[in-house]
Amino acid sequence: MALGAADVPAVEAGAAHGDTHATAEPHHGLPPAAVDLWEGIPITNSMVVTWAVALGLIIFARIATRKMQGVPSGLQNLWEWLVERLHDFLEGIIGPELVRKTFWFFATIFIFILFANWLGLIPGVGTIGWGVKTDHGMHIAQPLLRGANADLNMTLAMAVIFFICWTVWALQANGPGGFLLHIFGPKGETTGVLKVLMILVFIVVGLLEVVSILFRPVSLSFRLYGNIFAGENMLESMARLVPGWLGSIIIPIPFYFLEVLVGLVQALVFMLLTAVFTLLICTHEEGHEKAHH
């Protein structure tokens, strides 16, 4: 992914991997969809990376907090710094009451997305696998590993989990009646005929809001997937821009560091959007405290 398939050794498909590998169409860059690693076993190359990121974070957290100290140092200091900075950042946006209820989700989703994005930039992820020979060299048709967020299934799963959590938090904050009133109820103070007219207007506005709410998992998942998938293919294109190993290594370097920044920004954007969506449905709890935001 980071250096391009042209400069990372590829393994030609053999009989052990089925005929589909051998007859795969040459594909420049990362294939649009994740592929099964073994015939008949529903384990894709992106699932392996997802498990690796989750396992790595769990092990790191366990090691960092294994022997808690009053004055933290080493890994404990790094872990506490990350968690505290995230907590303070979110508290300034959604308020102390709401952050106590939702911090576990927002912190987890940010840390996972960030490290999944960065792990996908390791040379070899997306560029080592089964390929076919062409006039321009070996092209990877089915990579052995694939970035977790370069798979739409992964980003959609995270967005759907957020949608479920958002629904639970909204019902807890408003109750069923308050939830419906929050979406369809008239805003502002009106009387007489104007009040009746505004009720009809806000019912229509509420229907549009329902469509917007239902579309959020789609927009969240495609935003993250599109940026990560496009970035990986951009690195592949830059690696092929100049023939030879020197051009394929030197030219992608500035774009590689750009993708490191993009990985951070996309994790931050996903967390912020989900946090703001949650704040908007719980404004009656936090509205007066956070009106200046």
Side-chain angles (χ1 to χ4, degrees):
M1 180 183 58
L3 295 181
D7 37 273
V8 179
V11 180
E12 291 188 61
H17 298 285
D19 294 333
T20 56
H21 292 278
T23 59
E25 291 290 332
H27 190 282
H28 293 276
L30 193 68
V35 296
D36 293 341
L37 293 178
W38 299 279
E39 293 291 335
I41 301 178
I43 297 178
T44 65
N45 47 8
S46 65
M47 290 171 62
V48 174
V49 175
T50 300
W51 295 339
V53 174
L55 183 61
L57 289 174
I58 292 171
I59 294 174
F60 178 81
R62 292 293 297 175
I63 294 175
T65 60
R66 181 177 52 184
K67 296 180 180 179
M68 298 293 289
Q69 300 175 351
V71 180
S73 61
L75 294 180
Q76 180 189 341
N77 188 40
L78 175 61
W79 189 250
E80 289 189 6
W81 174 84
L82 176 60
V83 173
E84 288 176 2
R85 295 288 78 76
L86 282 174
H87 184 276
D88 294 343
F89 178 70
L90 286 168
E91 187 178 46
I93 296 174
I94 63 178
E97 294 184 21
L98 197 55
V99 81
R100 280 195 295 269
K101 181 188 297 183
T102 61
F103 178 71
W104 63 270
F105 174 82
F106 296 133
T108 300
I109 209 71
F110 172 81
I111 293 173
F112 175 80
I113 292 175
L114 176 64
F115 284 95
N117 290 345
W118 284 353
L119 182 66
L121 294 175
I122 295 177
V125 178
T127 58
I128 295 179
W130 297 276
V132 292
K133 286 184 177 180
T134 68
D135 295 338
H136 302 285
M138 184 72 70
H139 291 281
I140 300 298
Q142 300 193 9
L144 180 62
L145 298 174
R146 180 190 181 97
N149 294 322
D151 183 359
L152 185 58
N153 294 296
M154 184 64 215
T155 59
L156 182 60
M158 292 189 293
V160 169
I161 291 173
F162 162 70
F163 182 76
I164 295 172
C165 291
W166 179 89
T167 304
V168 172
W169 295 329
L171 292 175
Q172 288 176 344
N174 302 282
F179 178 70
L180 293 176
L181 186 63
H182 192 284
I183 297 177
F184 295 99
K187 282 76 175 176
E189 297 294 333
T190 55
T191 58
V193 178
L194 182 59
K195 183 174 183 179
V196 176
L197 179 61
M198 292 305 294
I199 290 175
L200 296 176
V201 169
F202 279 106
I203 288 176
V204 176
V205 172
L207 293 175
L208 295 176
E209 180 68 14
V210 170
V211 174
S212 174
I213 290 171
L214 294 176
F215 191 73
R216 284 174 185 173
V218 178
S219 62
L220 284 170
S221 58
F222 272 94
R223 179 183 289 106
L224 179 58
Y225 164 76
N227 280 278
I228 301 304
F229 180 76
E232 294 189 1
N233 280 281
M234 179 191 66
L235 290 176
E236 179 77 11
S237 299
M238 292 301 103
R240 295 178 179 276
L241 192 60
V242 176
W245 68 271
L246 187 60
S248 63
I249 292 178
I250 299 300
I251 292 181
I253 287 178
F255 298 95
Y256 185 90
F257 286 104
L258 175 63
E259 285 305 304
V260 172
L261 178 60
V262 168
L264 172 61
V265 170
Q266 289 306 313
L268 188 62
V269 167
F270 195 99
M271 181 188 70
L272 282 177
L273 287 176
T274 53
V276 170
F277 290 153
T278 304
L279 175 64
L280 291 177
I281 200 63
C282 300
T283 49
H284 78 284
E285 293 183 348
E286 303 285 334
H288 296 294
E289 297 177 11
K290 292 297 164 185
H292 62 280
H293 287 288

